[in-house]
Amino acid sequence: MDVADASQGLGEPRLLETIDKLVELNIGDTVALPQLLVVGDQSRTLVSNIDVSIIPSKGASKEDAARLQSWRKSGLTSLDPEEFTQIFTEVHQLMGIGGSASSAQKSFSDDVLKIEVSGPDQQHLSVVDVPGIFRKVTEGVTSKDDIANVRAMVERYMDNPRSIILAVVSANVDIANQEILDLAERYDPNGQRTLGVLTKPDLIDRGAEGPVLALMQGTAHKLNLGWCMVKNPGQEDLARKDGFDRHSSEKSFFKSQAPWSTLDEDRLGVHSLRLRLVELLTEMVRSEFSHVRSDVRESLKSFEKRLKALGPSRETNEQQRKCLLDLATRFQAISTKAIEAQYSGDDAFDLNPTLKLATAVINRNESFSNDVWHKGHTVEFKRELEAGETPSEDEDTSEQEVKPYATRQHSSPDELDGFLFDEPIQPSAEGGIMEWLSNVYLGARGFEIGTFNASLVPIMWKQQSTKWDNLALGYISDIVSICHGYISDLLKEICVDDRIRINLLAAMTDKLMERYKRAIDQTHFILHVERDPLTLNHYFADNMEKCNQRRMQALLATKSFFDKEYKCEVVKVTDLQHVGHMGNLQHTIQTLHDILKSYYKVARKRFVDNVCMQAADRHLIRGPDTAVKVFSPSFVSDLTEEQLERIAGEDVSTKRKRADLTRQVETLKRAMDLLVV
């Protein structure tokens, strides 16, 4: 097939132009684009008709990118050596490429120099020509770093699965010494996208053509895309003034020189190579175009998601205040549901169960009440006798605790370590309560007859309720920990920016600590008030009466018998005088026990309610000015401009990331517009 005929109808200009425009948008580092990649060593020469602009690298700053994109050489009809040298000098200056390895400037750049040839007879063909790999440092020109940088650049391009690798090698050099072929095999192990290009066939020693011929015929180092051969003009040819025709000279060489004249014509010469490249590129673009579109779409979604994760821009105080107001509004909306246990009202509760504030608090309230009832007394109260059970001193001895009991159920946040209380309660005193009361009474009685000193009850009460301090302070410390953990976890849930969250929590610390201290101080106040026994609750008298009734009932049961006539348990009147007989000391101790136990029942309920309501609920959870309500729109409205900047202002890293993501999103949107074909 004649080259001129073969070129007709080849290629899909619209698709190829679209890919070229995507390359200009510099999305190649984000999405693999179909491309022809020329690789080889530095001794290769592969010349094409040329033309000129710069595509900035992905890592270029906004200012550098604008500066490079603004430079352009257009309207050129030809490029003679002097003009080409001048252009390259300008390009080197723009890219910051120095003339020597010793200079402060770099020797290579990731910016792309775009050289374009256009005209009615030109085919649509784009080629990426990367620097040639070299292994030795040239004194004053290149460095060891340049060797590594060039190699990394070449490998980065070759790693693109949609690139067609043009492995350019010199025909006059042993194929085993061609490092570029090893790299091609690494990134294209099956040889599916590598086209070999042999140059300098005129420099092969006569009689040494065999290995090269084997490559061209596909019997050695076989590539799926095969091998092509070109002959480039020498320096003498380029220096001729008589209108040297490069293509005619090349064509004449391959027709007249054996063994090249025996090879297929469509594998020889620049015209054939160009045709082959257009064919390969067109096929690659056609097969990969829909995949490129899908990749661009997915990349756009990914970058938009990452940009959204940064939240709205926060460069100005107005933007910063709006950001915090939105967070505060969301915080209070969730907190209202958390306090009311309306957990179905927001998905946040499903994602983070620790946000179920009401449940955590009520569970701790209940365990606090149980602890005060079962473990709050210094000595276990005497067990009430069942009907028919005989009193015994052995019954006064309670089962002893064997180790201290922890008053905390939640660990303290690190930032509150040392501020909260964490002391266990000690085991109860050995011996029964009656023995303990006797010791206290005998150690403090006076000349009373038939009664006891009024100061005994407060003394006994203070000793019997000593554990309340640790239980109450442990409880309120747990509620503070629950509350603080809730605030921290909710901020993590609604604020994706760690910097804002950390700064915001720091700005709230003083107000939070103030409310935590109020709750703890209120607990101390309640404990102080409860130290002096006092009650007007009628249940105290009821409890006293019940103690007497139950004890008497148990004693009478020992004298009762079943009356067949009345069909019930009865007691003889004469037996009543023998029931419940006590000495003065025993009677006094029993009375003290009943008073202390009856008052404990009344005071315990009041104490637990007061601590839960006045200390925890009012200052931390549901009061008008609780810790949960600190972060509110009014809190944000009171922040100064300096505070806004410190809390919500974007740091340099975030600003740079936002600008980069915004640029990526805009570029990918433009790419999607191009891909709608």
Side-chain angles (χ1 to χ4, degrees):
M1 177 184 293
D2 186 82
V3 170
D5 294 336
S7 67
Q8 300 303 316
L10 267 181
E12 301 215 9
R14 190 176 180 185
L15 296 183
L16 293 171
E17 287 175 6
T18 299
I19 296 299
D20 282 350
K21 290 178 180 178
L22 293 179
V23 172
E24 290 182 15
L25 289 177
N26 205 14
I27 68 168
D29 287 336
T30 304
V31 176
L33 297 176
Q35 62 185 14
L36 292 171
L37 176 63
V38 181
V39 294
D41 57 33
Q42 285 203 330
S43 65
R44 76 175 194 273
T45 307
L46 182 64
V47 180
S48 301
N49 292 331
I50 51 183
D51 220 30
V52 197
S53 62
I54 299 176
I55 302 175
S57 67
K58 182 181 179 181
S61 65
K62 188 175 182 180
E63 295 74 16
D64 286 343
R67 178 174 55 83
L68 293 174
Q69 288 173 333
S70 65
W71 182 87
R72 182 176 296 274
K73 291 292 183 180
S74 58
L76 302 174
T77 57
S78 64
L79 286 177
D80 57 49
E82 291 183 2
E83 188 170 17
F84 196 60
T85 300
Q86 178 59 35
I87 288 176
F88 261 74
T89 299
E90 293 182 32
V91 169
H92 281 191
Q93 292 175 346
L94 288 166
M95 292 185 178
I97 297 176
S100 66
S102 59
S103 67
Q105 294 178 308
K106 55 193 175 184
S107 300
F108 297 91
S109 173
D110 284 328
D111 301 320
V112 177
L113 178 62
K114 179 184 176 184
I115 303 177
E116 183 178 3
V117 176
S118 59
D121 298 327
Q122 297 296 331
Q123 294 177 341
H124 200 109
L125 178 64
S126 297
V127 178
V128 178
D129 189 6
V130 295
I133 290 178
F134 59 98
R135 289 162 291 281
K136 293 184 178 181
V137 172
T138 301
E139 187 69 29
V141 178
T142 58
S143 66
K144 290 183 178 180
D145 288 342
D146 293 333
I147 295 176
N149 292 337
V150 168
R151 187 181 185 89
M153 182 189 302
V154 171
E155 292 189 26
R156 186 171 70 249
Y157 277 97
M158 294 178 76
D159 193 38
N160 176 6
R162 292 180 182 137
S163 66
I164 298 172
I165 302 172
L166 272 67
V168 182
V169 298
S170 299
N172 64 329
V173 178
D174 188 352
I175 193 71
N177 296 328
Q178 301 285 353
E179 184 180 5
I180 198 62
L181 293 179
D182 294 333
L183 283 177
E185 286 183 357
R186 180 191 304 173
Y187 292 100
D188 180 28
N190 296 322
Q192 298 298 308
R193 56 185 182 90
T194 301
L195 174 66
V197 180
L198 292 164
T199 65
K200 304 179 182 178
D202 52 318
L203 300 183
I204 300 175
D205 294 335
R206 188 170 298 278
E209 300 91 343
V212 178
L213 192 62
L215 292 175
M216 292 295 295
Q217 293 174 338
T219 58
H221 204 96
K222 188 173 182 179
L223 298 175
N224 186 59
L225 301 182
W227 289 82
C228 292
M229 180 180 288
V230 297
K231 176 186 176 297
N232 296 309
Q235 292 299 320
E236 285 187 16
D237 297 329
L238 294 174
R240 286 170 56 179
K241 304 294 186 180
D242 57 353
F244 171 71
D245 187 337
R246 176 241 193 279
H247 301 299
S248 297
S249 174
E250 183 182 44
K251 187 175 182 179
S252 174
F253 173 81
F254 285 123
K255 280 190 174 183
S256 62
Q257 294 293 326
W260 321 127
S261 57
T262 63
L263 298 174
D264 292 339
E265 192 174 324
D266 62 357
R267 293 284 180 170
L268 301 174
V270 169
H271 275 299
S272 298
L273 176 60
R274 185 183 303 140
L275 178 62
R276 178 65 172 151
L277 295 181
V278 171
E279 177 185 320
L280 292 174
L281 184 59
T282 301
E283 183 180 346
M284 174 69 78
V285 171
R286 187 186 296 118
S287 64
E288 294 292 330
F289 194 83
S290 62
H291 300 299
V292 170
R293 183 163 46 206
S294 297
D295 287 353
V296 171
R297 185 183 297 111
E298 291 303 313
S299 294
L300 178 57
K301 289 181 182 178
S302 175
F303 279 106
E304 285 179 332
K305 182 178 180 180
R306 290 167 58 188
L307 182 59
K308 184 179 180 180
L310 292 179
S313 177
R314 307 186 306 276
E315 291 190 11
T316 66
N317 285 142
E318 290 75 13
Q319 292 173 329
Q320 294 158 3
R321 196 179 299 277
K322 183 180 184 306
C323 171
L324 294 181
L325 283 173
D326 290 343
L327 289 175
T329 302
R330 171 81 169 134
F331 185 96
Q332 289 304 318
I334 294 179
S335 293
T336 299
K337 295 182 176 66
I339 292 171
E340 296 175 353
Q342 299 295 324
Y343 302 136
S344 62
D346 200 293
D347 292 340
F349 298 108
D350 295 327
L351 298 173
N352 193 345
T354 61
L355 298 181
K356 296 179 179 180
L357 180 61
T359 300
V361 172
I362 200 67
N363 286 340
R364 188 62 182 92
N365 288 353
E366 185 174 344
S367 64
F368 172 53
S369 178
N370 290 333
D371 284 346
V372 176
W373 176 234
H374 295 293
K375 300 181 182 296
H377 26 61
T378 302
V379 184
E380 189 75 26
F381 284 108
K382 182 179 180 181
R383 184 172 61 85
E384 294 175 350
L385 298 177
E386 300 294 335
E389 190 175 1
T390 304
S392 171
E393 289 299 321
D394 295 335
E395 299 297 333
D396 293 342
T397 303
S398 62
E399 182 180 350
Q400 298 299 312
E401 299 173 2
V402 296
K403 61 180 180 179
Y405 177 76
T407 59
R408 294 291 303 277
Q409 297 178 9
H410 298 263
S411 58
S412 299
D414 291 340
E415 54 268 33
L416 298 181
D417 190 28
F419 174 75
L420 300 179
F421 181 88
D422 190 5
E423 290 291 336
I425 53 176
Q426 298 302 318
S428 299
E430 294 184 1
I433 191 169
M434 304 306 285
E435 179 184 349
W436 175 69
L437 290 173
S438 295
N439 292 334
V440 175
Y441 171 71
L442 293 174
R445 65 180 177 175
F447 294 103
E448 304 86 10
I449 299 177
T451 182
F452 49 82
N453 191 322
S455 65
L456 277 176
V457 172
I459 292 173
M460 293 176 178
W461 172 249
K462 287 180 181 179
Q463 294 183 33
Q464 182 69 334
S465 61
T466 299
K467 294 183 181 180
W468 283 17
D469 292 60
N470 288 14
L471 289 172
L473 293 173
Y475 160 78
I476 199 64
S477 294
D478 272 350
I479 299 299
V480 169
S481 296
I482 291 171
C483 182
H484 194 79
Y486 167 82
I487 293 170
S488 180
D489 288 346
L490 182 52
L491 286 177
K492 288 180 182 178
E493 181 67 31
I494 66 174
C495 182
V496 296
D497 192 309
D498 289 341
R499 182 173 179 271
I500 292 181
R501 177 179 55 80
I502 294 171
N503 291 340
L504 184 57
L505 198 56
M508 295 164 54
T509 296
D510 288 345
K511 291 183 179 295
L512 290 175
M513 295 298 289
E514 179 183 344
R515 285 149 183 81
Y516 298 157
K517 188 175 185 302
R518 286 181 197 168
I520 295 173
D521 288 346
Q522 184 67 25
T523 303
H524 279 291
F525 173 76
I526 295 171
L527 285 167
H528 177 74
V529 170
E530 290 292 347
R531 281 291 169 264
D532 297 317
L534 176 65
T535 183
L536 299 178
N537 194 323
H538 68 277
Y539 282 113
F540 172 71
D542 291 345
N543 289 333
M544 286 286 294
E545 185 63 28
K546 287 177 181 178
C547 285
N548 289 328
Q549 290 174 355
R550 288 169 181 165
R551 184 168 57 255
M552 184 59 66
Q553 183 180 4
L555 292 172
L556 289 174
T558 63
K559 302 293 185 178
S560 67
F561 60 91
F562 186 77
D563 187 279
K564 293 182 179 180
E565 180 179 354
Y566 293 100
K567 297 181 179 179
C568 64
E569 293 288 329
V570 296
V571 178
K572 293 180 180 181
V573 174
T574 56
D575 288 337
L576 293 178
Q577 61 182 338
H578 301 295
V579 174
H581 176 73
M582 298 182 187
N584 290 339
L585 177 61
Q586 187 179 5
H587 183 273
T588 301
I589 298 304
Q590 185 64 56
T591 302
L592 284 171
H593 173 273
D594 292 349
I595 292 173
L596 199 60
K597 184 173 183 179
S598 299
Y599 183 75
Y600 191 94
K601 289 183 177 180
V602 172
R604 186 263 305 183
K605 296 177 181 178
R606 178 184 65 205
F607 172 69
V608 169
D609 285 347
N610 286 343
V611 173
C612 291
M613 294 177 65
Q614 296 180 25
D617 194 66
R618 178 173 177 79
H619 292 295
L620 300 175
I621 310 299
R622 294 190 298 176
D625 189 23
T626 66
V628 175
K629 295 179 180 177
V630 167
F631 183 41
S632 63
S634 62
F635 171 83
V636 177
S637 298
D638 291 339
L639 294 174
T640 65
E641 292 184 354
E642 291 75 12
Q643 288 174 318
L644 287 171
E645 179 63 34
R646 184 167 60 252
I647 296 172
E650 294 183 336
D651 56 21
V652 175
S653 175
T654 302
K655 290 179 180 178
R656 186 184 303 114
K657 184 185 296 184
R658 184 185 299 280
D660 182 60
L661 290 174
T662 300
R663 185 164 58 249
Q664 290 281 8
V665 168
E666 291 173 352
T667 299
L668 289 169
K669 284 182 177 179
R670 290 166 60 190
M672 282 303 302
D673 292 339
L674 292 172
L675 289 166
V676 180
V677 296

